[in-house]
């Protein structure tokens, strides 16, 4: 398993904001440290997202810098979320720090946009489908450990039924619908789950069909997550064979946001996508 990142997306966002405020105020790290009664090295760790802050300490720093009310509220909200625990704590035996970090971001998300090219998204997978993927990709994994990973994935799906669920927009490549995982019966059940979930008010499913001649310029799966409306934190998640990459700098986020817009335009409408899923299901 790859080494966990030393920080979380929220800490990095808070750190970048504090660095920007300090630099805009004309303070060096040393000068800011004297004003805030902290060492320059301590402030550097905070600004790089490597050190957490108690809420009262963050509030003191923000007040000392004289930030406006909107930024104060946004950063304090992220800090409060950072200190909250959740259901993922029960899976620390198998989930990495980045897994838990992303699960906590999903819980607090206002919007989730995703492109999936090879799989049904984890938030909509049935257990048998998820287990088939786990066994195919990590055949050496002990059965009880595979079951734990699947349970973790199923637990993530509780955000669909929470009181204020995120707005979710998914675009699935047709290949993800046609590639059999776990056999015909499992695939039929999985596709039926997609059809059922497509009826949710805040969930949109579109399919990029094989017949599409549009080239949106993206060949990889990714998730784009926003917290807050307007967003106080945006991050892109890219999963690869041995881990995950989270990008939260504004340039990367905007490039992926633009890519998602292009792909949605090239995909079928929700109604035509549902019809295609049902046709594939009848052939499975």
């Amino acid at each position: 398993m790859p080494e966990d990142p030393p920080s979380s997306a929220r800490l990095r966002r808070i750190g970048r904001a504090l660095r920007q405020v300090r630099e805009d105020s004309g303070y060096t790290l040393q000068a800011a440290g004297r004003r805030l009664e902290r060492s320059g090295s301590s402030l550097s760790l905070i600004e790089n997202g490597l050190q957490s802050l108690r809420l009262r300490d963050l509030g003191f720093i923000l007040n000392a810098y004289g930030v406006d009310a909107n930024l104060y509220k946004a950063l304090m909200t992220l800090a409060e979320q950072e200190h909250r625990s959740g259901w993922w704590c029960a899976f620390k035996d198998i989930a990495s720090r980045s897994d838990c970090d992303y699960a906590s971001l999903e819980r607090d998300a206002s919007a989730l946009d995703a492109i999936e090219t090879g799989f049904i998204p984890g938030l909509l997978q049935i257990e048998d489908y998820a287990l088939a993927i786990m066994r195919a990709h990590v055949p050496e994994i002990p059965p009880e450990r595979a079951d734990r990973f699947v349970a973790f994935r199923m637990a993530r799906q509780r955000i669909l039924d929470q009181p204020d669920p995120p707005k979710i927009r998914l675009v699935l490549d047709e290949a993800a619908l046609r590639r059999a995982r776990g056999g015909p019966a499992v695939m039929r059940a999985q596709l039926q789950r997609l059809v059922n979930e497509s009826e949710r008010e805040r969930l949109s499913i579109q399919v990029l069909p094989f017949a599409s001649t549009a080239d949106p310029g993206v060949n990889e799966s990714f998730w784009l997550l926003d917290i807050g409306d307007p967003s106080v934190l945006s991050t892109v998640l890219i999963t690869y064979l041995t881990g995950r990459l989270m990008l939260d700098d504004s340039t990367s986020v905007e490039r992926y946001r633009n890519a998602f817009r292009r792909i949605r335009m090239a995909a079928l409408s929700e109604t035509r996508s549902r019809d295609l899923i049902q046709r594939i299901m009848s052939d499975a």
Side-chain angles (χ1 to χ4, degrees):
M1 180 178 293
E3 185 176 346
D4 286 338
S7 62
S8 72
R10 292 185 184 86
L11 290 182
R12 291 192 295 273
R13 171 68 179 90
I14 292 170
R16 284 197 304 272
L18 291 180
R19 179 188 294 112
Q20 188 64 55
V21 169
R22 174 180 60 78
E23 292 176 347
D24 289 346
S25 300
Y27 289 113
T28 64
L29 276 172
Q30 289 70 29
R34 289 192 294 271
R35 180 179 178 85
L36 300 173
E37 300 180 351
R38 284 180 174 269
S39 68
S41 60
S42 174
L43 284 181
S44 179
L45 289 173
I46 293 169
E47 291 182 0
N48 284 289
L50 301 176
Q51 182 173 305
S52 182
L53 280 169
R54 292 179 297 181
L55 292 178
R56 69 178 185 182
D57 291 338
L58 177 59
F60 173 78
I61 292 174
L62 295 175
N63 285 326
Y65 283 147
V67 304
D68 65 64
N70 289 334
L71 181 58
Y72 183 97
K73 180 179 178 181
L75 297 184
M76 290 298 288
T77 295
L78 291 177
E80 288 169 0
Q81 293 174 354
E82 177 71 21
H83 287 285
R84 281 160 47 191
S85 59
W87 59 264
W88 50 87
C89 293
F91 290 89
K92 287 186 176 179
D93 59 314
I94 55 99
S96 68
R97 177 171 176 171
S98 63
D99 290 334
C100 294
D101 184 30
Y102 192 76
S104 75
L105 293 174
E106 280 185 333
R107 176 199 59 189
D108 298 318
S110 56
L112 287 164
D113 293 334
I115 306 297
E116 285 287 356
T117 60
F119 304 97
I120 306 302
L123 287 180
L124 299 181
Q125 290 178 5
I126 62 172
E127 289 188 34
D128 288 340
Y129 180 93
L131 189 57
I133 291 175
M134 179 66 61
R135 287 173 174 167
H137 282 236
V138 195
E140 70 277 9
I141 190 171
E144 62 277 7
R145 191 166 177 82
D147 290 341
R148 286 287 286 160
F149 277 110
V150 171
F152 178 80
R153 183 164 297 179
M154 295 302 105
R156 287 175 49 211
Q157 298 181 7
R158 66 184 65 190
I159 69 169
L160 300 173
D161 298 311
Q162 64 189 25
D164 186 22
K167 181 179 180 180
I168 302 175
R169 300 184 299 181
L170 305 176
V171 179
L172 310 180
D173 193 290
E174 186 175 340
L177 306 176
R178 293 192 178 276
R179 189 172 300 280
R181 311 281 184 180
V186 170
M187 282 306 301
R188 282 193 295 270
Q190 178 61 78
L191 294 174
Q192 184 62 60
R193 167 83 188 275
L194 285 184
V195 172
N196 295 343
E197 295 293 348
S198 69
E199 302 293 338
R200 287 182 182 266
E201 182 179 352
R202 292 178 61 81
L203 197 156
S204 164
I205 299 177
Q206 293 177 254
V207 177
L208 186 66
F210 289 149
S212 175
T213 59
D215 182 7
V218 176
N219 297 314
E220 64 189 11
S221 300
F222 65 87
W223 284 78
L224 177 59
L225 179 151
D226 290 301
I227 290 180
D229 187 17
S231 178
V232 298
L233 171 63
S234 299
T235 186
V236 175
L237 175 73
I238 303 170
T239 302
Y240 52 95
L241 182 61
T242 58
R244 65 178 72 231
L245 175 65
M246 292 179 66
L247 306 173
D248 42 44
D249 63 283
S250 58
T251 300
S252 294
V253 168
E254 193 57 29
R255 289 187 66 178
Y256 277 93
R257 202 180 297 280
N258 289 334
F260 182 76
R261 294 191 188 104
R262 293 195 302 271
I263 294 173
R264 282 199 82 210
M265 292 178 62
L268 299 175
S269 68
E270 292 181 59
T271 299
R272 293 180 63 195
S273 295
R274 187 180 302 111
D275 291 342
L276 177 56
I277 294 171
Q278 290 174 322
R279 290 199 302 272
I280 295 173
M281 182 171 58
S282 66
D283 294 338

